[in-house]
Amino acid sequence: MPLDPTPRVPEVPEAVSARALLTVSGADRPGVTARLFTALAGGAPAVEVLDVEQVVVHGQLVLGVVVGALAGEDAVDERALLQHLGRLAADVSADVGVRVDVEAATAGPVAVPAGRPHHVILLGRPVAPEAVAGAARSIAAVGGNIDAIRRLSDYPVTSFELTVSGAEATALRTALASVAATTGTDIAVEQVGLARRSKRLIVLDVDSTLVRGEVIDELAARAGRAAEVARITAAAMNGELDFAESLRKRVAVLAGLPAEVLDEVREALVLTPGARTLIRTLQRLGFRCGIVSGGFTQITDPLAESLGLDFAAANTLEVIDGRLTGGLVGEIVDRPGKARALARFAAQYGIPLDQTVAVGDGANDLDMLNTAGLGIAFNAKPFVREQAHTALNQPYLDAVLQVLGFTRDEVLDAS
């Protein structure tokens, strides 16, 4: 006996009306869309709008409209609908000087690709045709379909966003990684959804991310130990040495330096191109912005203040009688410490971790990058690029804005 004995009436498929696709192409000008839809609104047979897509590329308009004959007592067949729309199209074309093509549209149900859609962002200076071709082939190879393409920016990098359906995220990232490697184009993959635009907090590493170079190397140079410390720094950033251990070794060689060298190094810092634009834009969009560094508070705190940042965390060099002792004070901000700092600041502002962004370049940033909702490896070591959510190899820090989906126009509006 069935669990639900209620008699069921067999479902009768709903009758599908005749449908047609109108494609408008030509030089864009005010009034084209209005003229077409005004024509569709008048005359008989009456139609309903089922789908619309419009794009303008360098002043050239492409507008697609799918319409269906409204159901009524007198059914309209496809031939009659196409004849009516053909006459309408000729009138619109003559009035506004564009081409209007009419053809029958598939009336059956449209298959919905499996899986959630993704944004694929291509960034480069320039973006070569082979990068687009390679990305398109890779997307198709993993069962994906490109539903839409739009340009995000033309400066300081050129970037395009492809909306892709039907492909699984891991397969998509793997397939596109080889394209990025062979063409030198950055390719990021993000899931389509509100979460992408709901990010509200960003954490930036400092050395070789927010600023050029490594502060510890500059301090070591003043102690006459530059080469030794540079080797330790490189090993730590590549994940070959424990960061806390390497930090203590590097700091030890600074013993005896006058505290004034900290001011000298800080004043000589050079921000990464695009850093101010990134911070200013995100702040005006409501982001909380800050830095979490394996460097030193004597450098990072004044830097954060000068940039108007919301928070900062770093290590503190011990200074006694105006000289560095070669030691540290307090808890070390190492690889796990950076992730803890991100979580602490997110909790402080009541922001869920999946609404946070972290940007860094070294192995000690990996926990922080993977704790954030979106972790971006910026001009990072290969070891880091392979494990981060996405990677940027452009010399401009504000390219992060395009990974977040902001267009150049939106950046300018927020400036």
Side-chain angles (χ1 to χ4, degrees), residues 66-113:
V66 177
V67 299
L70 283 172
E73 292 183 6
D74 299 322
V76 178
D77 63 24
E78 185 179 274
R79 184 165 175 267
L81 177 64
L82 293 176
Q83 287 178 342
H84 164 65
L85 294 176
R87 292 189 293 270
L88 177 153
D91 292 342
V92 172
S93 180
D95 285 352
V96 293
V98 294
R99 176 172 175 169
V100 184
D101 296 313
V102 180
E103 59 185 295
T106 302
V110 178
V112 178

Side-chain angles (χ1 to χ4, degrees), residues 12-300:
V12 179
E14 184 177 322
V16 177
S17 63
R19 298 182 181 188
L21 167 65
L22 296 93
T23 305
V24 180
S25 58
D28 189 33
R29 65 196 67 183
V32 174
T33 305
R35 177 65 181 88
L36 175 67
F37 281 91
T38 299
L40 289 171
V47 298
E48 62 177 323
V49 179
L50 301 174
D51 197 6
V52 181
E53 189 91 25
Q54 176 173 316
V55 66
V56 178
V57 181
H58 276 272
Q60 294 297 306
L61 168 72
V62 179
L63 167 63
V65 182
V66 177
V67 299
L70 283 172
E73 292 183 6
D74 299 322
V76 178
D77 63 24
E78 185 179 274
R79 184 165 175 267
L81 177 64
L82 293 176
Q83 287 178 342
H84 164 65
L85 294 176
R87 292 189 293 270
L88 177 153
D91 292 342
V92 172
S93 180
D95 285 352
V96 293
V98 294
R99 176 172 175 169
V100 184
D101 296 313
V102 180
E103 59 185 295
T106 302
V110 178
V112 178
R116 295 190 62 178
H118 292 81
H119 292 305
V120 173
I121 304 98
L122 278 65
L123 306 96
R125 193 70 178 173
V127 174
E130 53 265 32
V132 181
R137 286 194 297 268
S138 296
I139 290 167
V142 295
N145 183 66
I146 301 173
D147 300 327
I149 302 176
R150 66 167 179 156
R151 186 183 72 182
L152 293 176
S153 66
D154 58 2
Y155 181 85
V157 297
T158 301
S159 60
F160 301 97
E161 179 185 84
L162 287 61
T163 303
V164 175
S165 59
E168 191 271 329
T170 301
L172 195 56
R173 288 191 175 95
T174 301
L176 291 169
S178 61
V179 179
T182 56
T183 65
T185 301
D186 288 338
I187 304 179
V189 178
E190 292 185 64
Q191 196 170 80
V192 172
L194 293 176
R196 188 187 188 200
R197 284 297 190 100
S198 68
K199 301 291 189 294
R200 296 164 51 200
L201 180 146
I202 187 168
V203 170
L204 300 165
D205 173 46
V206 176
D207 296 330
S208 299
T209 300
L210 181 62
V211 303
R212 291 177 165 178
E214 298 282 331
V215 166
I216 186 69
D217 292 348
E218 296 299 322
L219 292 172
R222 286 163 171 78
R225 308 282 289 275
E228 175 187 350
V229 168
R231 285 194 296 271
I232 299 173
T233 299
M237 293 302 100
N238 282 319
E240 299 165 9
L241 282 178
D242 173 74
F243 180 81
E245 177 189 353
S246 72
L247 180 63
R248 289 190 181 94
K249 287 183 178 181
R250 288 176 289 170
V251 169
V253 307
L254 305 180
L257 278 178
E260 289 79 12
V261 299
L262 295 170
D263 298 327
E264 295 173 10
V265 170
R266 184 177 64 249
E267 291 170 3
L269 289 177
V270 177
L271 290 175
T272 300
R276 290 188 186 276
T277 300
L278 172 67
I279 292 168
R280 181 177 64 245
T281 301
L282 292 180
Q283 286 176 330
R284 292 183 178 178
L285 292 169
F287 272 63
R288 295 288 185 174
C289 303
I291 51 180
V292 173
S293 173
F296 312 112
T297 57
Q298 288 94 336
I299 302 290
T300 58

Side-chain angles (χ1 to χ4, degrees), residues 246-404:
S246 72
L247 180 63
R248 289 190 181 94
K249 287 183 178 181
R250 288 176 289 170
V251 169
V253 307
L254 305 180
L257 278 178
E260 289 79 12
V261 299
L262 295 170
D263 298 327
E264 295 173 10
V265 170
R266 184 177 64 249
E267 291 170 3
L269 289 177
V270 177
L271 290 175
T272 300
R276 290 188 186 276
T277 300
L278 172 67
I279 292 168
R280 181 177 64 245
T281 301
L282 292 180
Q283 286 176 330
R284 292 183 178 178
L285 292 169
F287 272 63
R288 295 288 185 174
C289 303
I291 51 180
V292 173
S293 173
F296 312 112
T297 57
Q298 288 94 336
I299 302 290
T300 58
D301 285 353
L303 177 63
E305 184 178 357
S306 69
L307 292 172
L309 299 180
D310 297 294
F311 55 87
N315 298 295
T316 299
L317 292 167
E318 184 178 54
V319 178
I320 296 178
D321 296 331
R323 291 189 176 274
L324 278 63
T325 67
L328 296 164
V329 178
E331 180 185 357
I332 290 181
V333 180
D334 55 3
R335 176 169 167 169
K338 283 193 166 190
R340 288 194 298 270
L342 165 62
R344 183 171 70 250
F345 290 125
Q348 177 182 333
Y349 293 107
I351 297 173
L353 283 172
D354 62 4
Q355 294 180 11
T356 65
V357 181
V359 185
D361 73 299
N364 66 317
D365 294 312
L366 273 172
D367 288 5
M368 179 176 75
L369 297 181
N370 290 318
T371 297
L374 175 63
I376 302 173
F378 180 73
N379 290 311
K381 316 303 183 285
F383 175 77
V384 180
R385 289 200 303 268
E386 293 167 3
Q387 297 188 53
H389 297 143
T390 193
L392 276 176
N393 296 303
Q394 305 302 320
Y396 309 101
L397 194 56
D398 52 343
V400 168
L401 294 167
Q402 276 71 65
V403 176
L404 294 174

